[in-house]
Amino acid sequence: MILVILVMPVFTFLSISFSGRYLRFMGYEVNYVRNFTDVDDKIIARAGQLGEDPISLSRRFCEEFHRDMEFLHCLPPTVEPRVSDHMPQIIDMIKQILDNGCAYTVEGDVYFSVDKSPQYGRLSGRKLEDNRAGERVVVDSRKKNPADFALWKSAKEGEPFWESPWGAGRPGWHIECSAMSAAYLGYSFDIHGGGMDLIFPHHENEIAQSCAACDKSHISYWIHNGFVNIDSQKMSKSLGNFFTIRQVIELYHPLALRFFLIGTHYRSPINYSDVQLESASDRAYYIYQTLQDCVEVVGKQDDPSQKEHIPTEIVDCIRNLNDVFITSMSEDLHSPVVLSAMSDPLKTANDLLHTRKGKKQGKRIQSLAAIEKTIRNVLDILGLMPPSYVEVLQQLREKALKRAKLTEDEVADKINERNAARINKEYERSDAIRKDLATLGIALMDSPEGTSWRPAIPLAMQEQYAFSES
């Protein structure tokens, strides 16, 4: 079965990324279209401020976007159309809407007539009379209805333009998406994604104009992601309270950021905070370290793939994770439930790895191999599987050192200083060194082989995290 998806390049990329992986895992052939709006009012205004060509500016930011998507392990689309390359398709759709009597021209502009769309508001639940002039709609006395929206805008001085039957100009924002989706997916397709803020007016207008162009137009499912909030306010450029992906991954591993983002259901708002990112990074380290430990122990055996049955309790543990994974992902991509369900098999693996009882358990090696393989498969479908456990663990350590403003050598010196204090029975000094490092997010671990360290949530943040979880 072929599944076709259109998505706008906003935070929806993440839900579409692991939904695409999951759908392919379930046997679907996925046709994934991610379109770029490289011509609109904001781009033109920004290009004017910078003294740059709008198309060139858009192209530059599209390339930066691609880099961010690669950092976050997001799947590339099947096709990635841009508005500037699809003017013929846009103009043809506007012609069709005019021919069907659902639009009108005014002095080189073309407006869609919402009065010709009896089901306008079906997606958002808004009524046409709610769309008062000046609220979300541009006040223009030339419109037949204040809620009418532009399909084509006549050329203005200094702006890019294309020739059309209505004169030189450029398309309105809404028509661009409808024309490109129809070009690559047809008028009916399975999934359309975007941010919650696009439900109205953008997606509502998309439905209206697509149906006006073709009465067979239909989208089976709409996926709208929640906002990323900071202090309960939507993250946005207009409020000046936003961080770029590039800024975040300066201090946190991209996979830790991905853990953080899919730790909340995609339709729900995400509250951005350093505490939550530290928690996600700590969880990622724990998972990858556990799996690396499994690989090391299994790899020491001559024949780790012995075809002996693993214990019933291990079979049940693995089956439960697989069942939760399928059920939760099939029920509107409930990734947080899947991440939580990994806790039991991870704990079981650590018991087998490190406890006296676990090390004596029958079929221990086969059990560890089975658990590692199962969790690895889940992580792979969620887009959380690194090229190697060793590599990602080292990278997570490097990020932790950067946040702590320490070097590996400085931590080693502190460990040596603490070892000397313990030998001299200066236990208060020893404890103080441990606490100083823990305050910076560096946890010391003592074992018969010596003292090592791992990244951890800084002490002060641990209290904040415990409070937020309560």
Side-chain angles (χ1 to χ4, degrees):
M1 182 181 295
I2 298 176
L3 201 75
V4 289
I5 302 173
L6 175 74
V7 61
M8 297 291 292
V10 290
F11 269 106
T12 318
F13 59 72
L14 209 60
S15 53
I16 291 295
S17 173
F18 65 77
S19 70
R21 285 184 170 93
Y22 179 68
L23 291 166
R24 287 182 177 125
F25 164 74
M26 294 295 287
Y28 290 92
E29 181 182 340
V30 179
N31 185 8
Y32 167 29
V33 178
R34 182 172 67 198
N35 66 289
F36 279 124
T37 296
D38 59 354
V39 180
D40 79 349
D41 295 338
K42 290 182 179 179
I43 293 171
I44 292 169
R46 181 61 175 159
Q49 293 170 1
L50 298 174
E52 189 174 351
D53 174 69
I55 303 301
S56 174
L57 175 68
S58 297
R59 188 176 299 113
R60 181 158 57 84
F61 277 97
C62 288
E63 291 308 311
E64 293 300 316
F65 174 81
H66 286 145
R67 289 181 63 199
D68 288 345
M69 296 303 96
E70 187 176 348
F71 284 138
L72 291 180
H73 286 209
C74 290
L75 290 174
T78 310
V79 64
E80 198 168 54
R82 304 184 186 204
V83 171
S84 57
D85 296 329
H86 292 79
M87 289 301 161
Q89 293 90 336
I90 292 170
I91 290 170
D92 285 346
M93 179 173 276
I94 295 173
K95 284 181 183 177
Q96 189 62 49
I97 294 171
L98 281 165
D99 290 345
N100 290 341
C102 296
Y104 56 94
T105 60
V106 182
E107 301 170 3
D109 294 332
V110 182
Y111 286 100
F112 183 87
S113 177
V114 295
D115 291 323
K116 299 292 185 178
S117 179
Q119 290 187 295
Y120 190 80
R122 72 175 84 172
L123 180 66
S124 63
R126 291 174 64 104
K127 296 180 180 178
L128 198 54
E129 54 267 27
D130 293 337
N131 301 328
R132 297 187 296 275
E135 296 183 10
R136 289 184 177 263
V137 291
V138 178
V139 179
D140 188 337
S141 59
R142 301 176 305 159
K143 293 182 181 182
K144 294 180 179 179
N145 186 310
D148 293 349
F149 55 91
L151 299 175
W152 188 262
K153 299 180 178 183
S154 57
K156 295 181 178 64
E157 187 176 351
E159 293 186 355
F161 65 87
W162 289 261
E163 294 298 332
S164 79
W166 318 286
R170 60 184 175 85
W173 175 32
H174 311 299
I175 193 66
E176 300 168 348
C177 299
S178 287
M180 288 188 288
S181 63
Y184 292 95
L185 303 175
Y187 279 96
S188 294
F189 54 93
D190 300 291
I191 300 172
H192 194 320
M196 198 74 73
D197 53 338
L198 297 183
I199 295 176
F200 186 89
H202 185 51
H203 287 162
E204 197 69 74
N205 291 350
E206 273 196 68
I207 292 172
Q209 65 200 8
S210 293
C211 290
C214 175
D215 59 9
K216 298 281 194 288
S217 178
H218 176 73
I219 295 167
S220 300
Y221 301 99
W222 290 88
I223 287 182
H224 291 106
N225 64 278
F227 298 134
V228 178
N229 296 331
I230 295 180
D231 296 328
S232 301
Q233 279 190 312
K234 175 191 171 186
M235 182 188 289
S236 70
K237 287 185 178 180
S238 60
L239 293 173
N241 65 344
F242 73 99
F243 299 93
T244 65
I245 290 172
R246 212 71 56 82
Q247 287 172 321
V248 174
I249 63 176
E250 271 291 307
L251 294 175
Y252 295 93
H253 195 284
L255 285 174
L257 177 56
R258 188 176 177 98
F259 261 103
F260 162 67
L261 291 170
I262 69 175
T264 299
H265 187 250
Y266 76 89
R267 292 189 191 270
S268 301
I270 304 174
N271 197 41
Y272 177 95
S273 70
D274 288 344
V275 175
Q276 296 295 334
L277 275 172
E278 286 284 355
S279 174
S281 185
D282 185 65
R283 186 64 176 170
Y285 192 91
Y286 166 72
I287 292 172
Y288 297 136
Q289 185 64 69
T290 300
L291 298 180
Q292 173 58 22
D293 290 346
C294 289
V295 169
E296 288 181 0
V297 171
V298 172
K300 291 176 183 177
Q301 304 303 307
D302 293 333
D303 184 12
S305 59
Q306 298 174 40
K307 297 179 181 179
E308 298 180 23
H309 295 297
I310 58 178
T312 302
E313 61 268 24
I314 303 298
V315 172
D316 291 342
C317 179
I318 290 171
R319 182 185 295 120
N320 181 67
L321 175 58
N322 285 329
D323 288 348
V324 171
F325 173 68
I326 295 294
T327 301
S328 301
M329 290 296 287
S330 297
E331 186 58 44
D332 201 19
L333 305 174
H334 273 277
S335 54
V337 178
V338 177
L339 294 180
S340 178
M342 288 195 291
S343 296
D344 281 347
L346 286 166
K347 181 182 182 303
T348 298
N350 275 297
D351 287 344
L352 291 169
L353 287 163
H354 304 298
T355 68
R356 186 175 301 175
K357 180 181 177 182
K359 289 178 180 180
K360 295 179 179 179
Q361 184 167 312
K363 310 297 187 298
R364 172 176 176 257
I365 301 303
Q366 292 83 358
S367 297
L368 287 171
I371 291 172
E372 188 275 331
K373 180 181 178 182
T374 302
I375 296 177
R376 173 169 24 100
N377 290 340
V378 171
L379 292 176
D380 188 46
I381 296 167
L382 293 177
L384 292 168
M385 191 63 197
S388 82
Y389 300 135
V390 172
E391 180 180 313
V392 74
L393 287 167
Q394 179 57 31
Q395 291 167 346
L396 284 162
R397 287 165 64 92
E398 289 169 359
K399 294 291 186 184
L401 288 171
K402 192 169 186 178
R403 294 194 299 275
K405 296 181 172 62
L406 292 171
T407 66
E408 188 86 48
D409 287 343
E410 287 171 335
V411 174
D413 289 342
K414 287 292 184 182
I415 290 174
N416 290 335
E417 185 181 340
R418 177 173 173 269
N419 288 340
R422 295 172 73 193
I423 291 171
N424 294 328
K425 298 184 179 180
E426 298 172 357
Y427 298 119
E428 287 188 10
R429 177 62 183 150
S430 169
D431 292 344
I433 293 171
R434 177 193 283 273
K435 186 173 182 180
D436 287 346
L437 289 173
T439 299
L440 298 174
I442 306 296
L444 299 185
M445 299 174 292
D446 297 318
S447 71
E449 291 76 31
T451 301
S452 59
W453 72 272
R454 59 151 288 171
I457 304 173
L459 282 181
M461 288 189 180
Q462 287 183 29
E463 296 173 3
Q464 294 178 43
Y465 183 71
F467 179 77
S468 66
E469 290 290 291
S470 61

